[in-house]
Structure formats: structure tokens, C-alpha cells
Amino acid sequence: MNKISTLSIFLLMFAMGISQQPKKSETVAVNGKNIYYEVYGEGSPLFLFHGYTLSSKSWKPYVVDFEKDYEVYLVDLTGHGKSDTFKEDLSIKSVAKDVQVLVHYLKLDKIKAIGFSFGGDMLYQLALLQPKLMDAMITIGAVGTWTVKDFPEYEEAFTFENKDNFPWLTSSHKNDEQIRQLMLQFKNYTVSLSDKELHSIQPEVLIMVGDNDEGMDFTEIARVKKQLPKSDLWVLPNVAHGAHEGETKADFIKKANAFFSKNKTN
């Protein structure tokens, strides 16, 4: 996907989200930091988690597709959006611990979840921290193991000095200091899962990737699929990292609803 088409998708997403009003929004003190979330709809809880440097705004165009069947939670993950700026080095496990405490605060015993990229990597950590919390999850452009060290060109380009090349940053976050910290912390984006850890994950997982996602290693995808006890792999042809966006959105919604329907919580 080129920069122009990526920008167009993000601008459309933000424009569509402006008119939607949550039935509840709140900032909660979690592990010494403030985490912001919004709630829409009625039904069993479904959490939507954004990618790195994005915010909950990126999921707002999808609320209408889920809110009739689910109580939809949009969360600004640690360091992002209306949540506090990073106060410590980025750790995907630490972000998952923050989400775990937030869910406990909300008194939810069972959830479903969708995570894009960073949000997907976080979900694998959450599944390890609290194995019975989720009965089903969808990860998009993420398999729980990834390091920026394998992509030095990303680290070189993704700097505060180049922030104008990433126009969604100012729409997603509170101020330049938050953006600066996000870009500084990108160098610490490293997460990994052993075969043993993957085999212990209890939720059923739908792994969704685009076959043109240059950040994904298909050898690693195959390993994860093999080791996860309950998993399906959906590879979308001619699609890049945001496999749920743009022309594939309708197929994603249909597939997600079918996947979650077979995993209804009693």
C-alpha cells in the first residue's frame, strides 16, 4: 500500500468516527498511569485494540458493525491517545498487564478481542497473563513475535524529526511530547513467544494477515499456526499490513462475526 492510499484510509477513518458518541467514556488509574477507554453498544464485551502510534479513533468506523451484538470497548493503549504518555521503556507485556487491570476494574470475567499489529501482539501476552479471560481473539498483522531490530529501515525512518511523514500522529495523540515518546520507544519494540508459550494459549485465535505485509515473516506465521492449539489462518491476497481496512473491511466484518458467533460465551 503506498503512502497516499494509506493516508486516505486514515483520514476517512477519522472523519467517520467524529459523529459517534460513546455511551460511556472514562480515564482510569492503572498501574500508576491513566488509561482511557470508551464503550458502545449492548451485549457481551468485545475489545478492539489499535496499532502502534494509532489510538482508539482508528477503530471508531467499525463500532457500527459490532455494537448491535456486542458491548464494544475502545481503549487507548499505554502511551497512546488520551492515555498517559510513556513513563517507562516500551514493554508489550507491561501494556498487557495494564489491559488486564483495566478489565478487572470493569468487572468483566470473559471477553472477546481484536488486535491490530501492536494491539495483536499485546493480546498474545494478555492470553498468557490470564489464560481464561478470552474465549476468542483475532489478531491482524501480528503473531506475537516481532522486533524492530529486524527492520532497521523502519527504525531509521520512524523518528520525531520525520513525524510530518506520518499524518495520523497529530490526529491520534494529545501533543508533540506524547508523539516524541512514542517514536523514541519504537526502538524497544521487541516481543517473542516460545513454542511452549504458544501451545499454552487457550483462546481460539483467528490469525489474519495480508500476503503483501512486508513486516510479517511467513515462516514465523507458519510456526505460530502450528503451535497454537486452536487457531485458524486467514491470508488475504494482495493486501498489506492493515488487512482489515479499505476494500477488505466488509469481508473482515463478515469473517469476524462468524468467528465470534461460534465462540459465544455461555
Side-chain angles (χ1 to χ4, degrees):
M1 184 182 294
N2 61 40
K3 290 181 179 178
I4 294 176
S5 60
T6 301
L7 172 59
S8 298
I9 289 172
F10 279 121
L11 291 178
L12 177 60
M13 287 163 66
F14 294 139
M16 289 175 66
I18 288 172
S19 62
Q20 288 175 297
Q21 294 298 319
K23 69 178 187 181
K24 180 182 179 183
S25 61
E26 186 181 18
T27 299
V28 180
V30 170
N31 293 333
K33 66 208 74 167
N34 293 315
I35 302 296
Y36 175 81
Y37 72 94
E38 299 177 349
V39 190
Y40 302 79
E42 302 291 340
S44 59
L46 170 64
F47 281 71
L48 308 181
F49 295 109
H50 59 79
Y52 196 74
T53 75
L54 292 172
S55 73
S56 57
K57 287 183 179 180
S58 64
W59 278 112
K60 283 194 175 182
Y62 297 77
V63 168
V64 67
D65 298 297
F66 293 114
E67 64 181 349
K68 292 181 181 178
D69 298 310
Y70 300 98
E71 187 170 59
V72 181
Y73 290 79
L74 306 187
V75 180
D76 283 341
L77 292 169
T78 311
H80 293 73
K82 295 181 181 180
S83 294
D84 278 354
T85 301
F86 276 117
K87 298 177 180 178
E88 56 190 16
D89 286 349
L90 172 64
S91 159
I92 312 301
K93 184 175 182 179
S94 177
V95 174
K97 288 180 178 178
D98 292 343
V99 171
Q100 182 185 27
V101 173
L102 174 63
V103 173
H104 179 72
Y105 163 82
L106 294 167
K107 295 181 171 57
L108 299 174
D109 296 323
K110 206 76 166 176
I111 68 170
K112 293 176 171 60
I114 302 173
F116 170 50
S117 194
F118 169 63
D121 286 333
M122 183 279 299
L123 281 179
Y124 288 101
Q125 293 296 314
L126 183 61
L128 292 175
L129 287 169
Q130 191 167 342
K132 295 182 179 181
L133 176 62
M134 292 179 285
D135 54 12
M137 67 187 210
I138 299 173
T139 61
I140 306 164
V143 289
T145 295
W146 194 86
T147 178
V148 70
K149 302 305 180 186
D150 290 340
F151 300 90
E153 67 276 19
Y154 289 6
E155 197 170 0
E156 181 179 350
F158 203 67
T159 65
F160 185 75
E161 291 70 26
N162 292 335
K163 70 182 179 67
D164 291 342
N165 294 329
F166 308 98
W168 65 88
L169 288 169
T170 54
S171 300
S172 299
H173 305 296
K174 294 179 292 190
N175 51 46
D176 277 356
E177 180 56 26
Q178 188 175 39
I179 294 169
R180 186 190 304 275
Q181 288 301 319
L182 281 167
M183 301 181 104
L184 283 173
Q185 289 302 322
F186 191 47
K187 68 180 183 295
N188 295 317
Y189 197 128
T190 297
V191 64
S192 63
L193 293 172
S194 67
D195 287 355
K196 183 178 180 181
E197 286 174 323
L198 284 166
H199 198 67
S200 72
I201 288 176
Q202 294 187 20
E204 184 165 357
V205 183
L206 174 60
I207 306 165
M208 180 179 174
V209 294
D211 69 347
N212 287 340
D213 188 340
E214 62 182 20
M216 297 298 294
D217 181 343
F218 275 77
T219 300
E220 181 61 21
I221 293 169
R223 179 184 78 92
V224 171
K225 174 65 177 71
K226 180 179 180 181
Q227 297 300 326
L228 280 174
K230 297 179 290 183
S231 63
D232 292 319
L233 174 61
W234 183 24
V235 180
L236 287 82
N238 305 311
V239 173
H241 191 50
H244 59 303
E245 301 169 338
E247 294 180 357
T248 62
K249 180 186 174 185
D251 288 340
F252 160 67
I253 296 298
K254 183 178 180 180
K255 187 87 168 182
N257 278 319
F259 175 72
F260 286 138
S261 291
K262 71 174 184 176
N263 286 283
K264 286 185 176 178
T265 305
N266 295 328

